[in-house]
């Protein structure tokens, strides 16, 4: 069971997965927040799991795992006013109340359905990791976070484009030995830049005085010794630009030591 709160109307909504009474398990309980009493039970379709409230339109959205639908409840009447077909085994649900978008994880089809709250229509399906379950929306950053239970990962979605995004970190070794530009933007040591998945990135390394570029490396693996590298973003990672002291620098230090 999951719980959602309508702060504006002081109501609590609870999905009931299992029940021992004659109501079965296909309903949502409505609790009056001022009395903590159940004031209604609303029948939905089959095995309600996730639930979310949009306080801006007084609508409640419920995922029905066994029927592959999202039920829409009018909070003013406690009546189901629509059922929206989504993917296979919908579990989690989250809302961006400012924009009116509803996001639903579909556990068995590995994508997130995007519903337009003004029409109750699915307008996009976003491929994520394996067995997505929980989901949350940051209405300020316009980013959506999806927990993928079988791939042990979190997918981050840019809500303005519906694209999966990830971070590319940059490491400069040694520190201050040079600098890196990726797609025209300078990235400092231990900083990162965010890209859509499948973006083609071109990074160029330049050495500071006393150093020359040696190689790129991703994790423990060395890659090209070319100071310009181009690749397609597929997941989070750190790209290291490795520099080495130049021969002239070593000679200078040698003369000083002698």
């Amino acid at each position: 069971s999951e719980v959602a709160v309508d702060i504006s109307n002081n109501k609590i909504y609870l999905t009931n997965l299992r029940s021992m009474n004659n109501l079965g398990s296909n309903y949502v309980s409505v609790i009056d927040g001022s009395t903590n009493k159940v004031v209604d039970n609303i029948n939905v379709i089959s095995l309600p799991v996730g639930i979310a409230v949009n306080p801006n339109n007084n609508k409640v959205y419920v995922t029905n795992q066994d029927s592959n639908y999202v039920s829409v409840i009018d909070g003013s009447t406690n009546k189901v006013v629509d059922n929206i077909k989504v993917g296979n085994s919908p579990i989690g649900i989250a809302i961006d109340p400012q924009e009116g978008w509803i996001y639903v994880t579909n556990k068995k089809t590995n994508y997130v359905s995007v519903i337009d709250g003004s029409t109750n229509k699915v307008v996009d399906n976003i491929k994520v990791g394996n067995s997505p379950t929980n989901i949350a929306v940051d209405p300020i950053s316009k980013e959506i976070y999806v927990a993928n239970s079988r791939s042990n990962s979190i997918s981050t979605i840019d809500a303005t484009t519906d694209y999966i995004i990830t971070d590319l970190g940059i490491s400069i070794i040694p520190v201050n030995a040079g600098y890196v530009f990726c797609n025209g933007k300078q990235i400092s040591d231990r900083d990162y830049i965010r890209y859509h998945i499948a973006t083609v990135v071109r990074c160029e390394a330049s050495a500071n005085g006393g150093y020359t570029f040696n190689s790129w490396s991703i994790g423990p693996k060395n890659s090209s010794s070319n100071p310009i590298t181009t690749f397609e973003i597929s997941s989070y990672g750190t790209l290291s630009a490795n520099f080495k002291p130049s021969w002239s620098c070593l000679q200078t230090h040698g003369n000083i030591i002698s």
Side-chain angles (χ1 to χ4, degrees):
S1 296
E2 291 194 11
V3 177
V5 178
D6 181 352
I7 298 175
S8 301
N9 297 295
N10 199 18
K11 291 182 180 179
I12 301 97
Y13 297 90
L14 172 71
T15 56
N16 294 276
L17 290 172
R18 298 286 184 265
S19 176
M20 299 302 293
N21 60 28
N22 59 4
L23 288 171
S25 60
N26 302 325
Y27 68 94
V28 172
S29 294
V30 185
I31 300 171
D32 184 338
S34 63
T35 63
N36 289 337
K37 302 293 184 181
V38 175
V39 295
D40 207 346
N41 288 295
I42 307 167
N43 286 317
V44 286
I45 302 180
S46 179
L47 199 63
V49 182
I51 189 165
V53 176
N54 187 343
N56 292 339
N57 63 6
N58 200 17
K59 293 293 192 297
V60 184
Y61 302 86
V62 183
T63 58
N64 297 278
Q65 184 177 358
D66 279 358
S67 65
N68 305 330
Y69 279 88
V70 171
S71 295
V72 184
I73 299 170
D74 185 337
S76 62
T77 63
N78 289 343
K79 302 295 184 184
V80 174
V81 294
D82 206 348
N83 288 293
I84 307 165
K85 180 73 173 178
V86 288
N88 195 354
S89 190
I91 301 287
I93 188 164
I95 295 174
D96 182 346
Q98 297 175 357
E99 305 296 337
W101 302 112
I102 301 101
Y103 301 93
V104 179
T105 58
N106 299 283
K107 185 177 181 181
K108 292 184 178 180
T109 43
N110 300 332
Y111 63 80
V112 171
S113 295
V114 184
I115 300 170
D116 183 342
S118 64
T119 63
N120 288 342
K121 303 294 184 184
V122 174
V123 295
D124 204 355
N125 288 297
I126 307 166
K127 190 72 175 177
V128 289
N130 293 330
S131 297
T133 51
N134 294 344
I135 187 167
V137 176
D138 185 338
I140 305 301
S141 67
K142 299 301 178 187
E143 292 180 354
I144 304 153
Y145 303 95
V146 182
N148 304 297
S149 60
R150 286 192 179 272
S151 54
N152 299 323
S153 65
I154 292 178
S155 298
T156 305
I157 301 170
D158 181 347
T160 63
T161 62
D162 288 347
Y163 286 130
I164 301 291
I165 55 178
T166 192
D167 295 330
L168 173 66
I170 292 293
S171 177
I172 297 173
I173 304 172
V175 177
N176 299 323
Y179 53 92
V180 173
F181 280 87
C182 291
N183 287 1
K185 181 177 180 179
Q186 184 173 353
I187 308 177
S188 302
D189 179 55
R190 301 183 185 277
D191 202 355
Y192 67 89
I193 190 166
R194 185 154 288 179
Y195 293 107
H196 292 154
I197 290 291
T199 297
V200 175
V201 180
R202 181 182 185 273
C203 293
E204 181 174 0
S206 294
N208 286 328
Y211 290 92
T212 59
F213 178 76
N214 185 31
S215 66
W216 296 102
S217 59
I218 300 177
K221 297 181 179 180
N222 288 331
S223 59
S224 173
S225 59
N226 189 326
I228 299 176
T229 183
T230 302
F231 53 93
E232 184 177 285
I233 290 287
S234 60
S235 63
Y236 173 83
T238 298
L239 178 66
S240 298
N242 303 299
F243 297 88
K244 60 183 179 180
S246 63
W247 175 246
S248 59
C249 181
L250 290 173
Q251 279 188 319
T252 300
H253 284 294
N255 291 335
I256 292 174
I257 292 172
S258 62

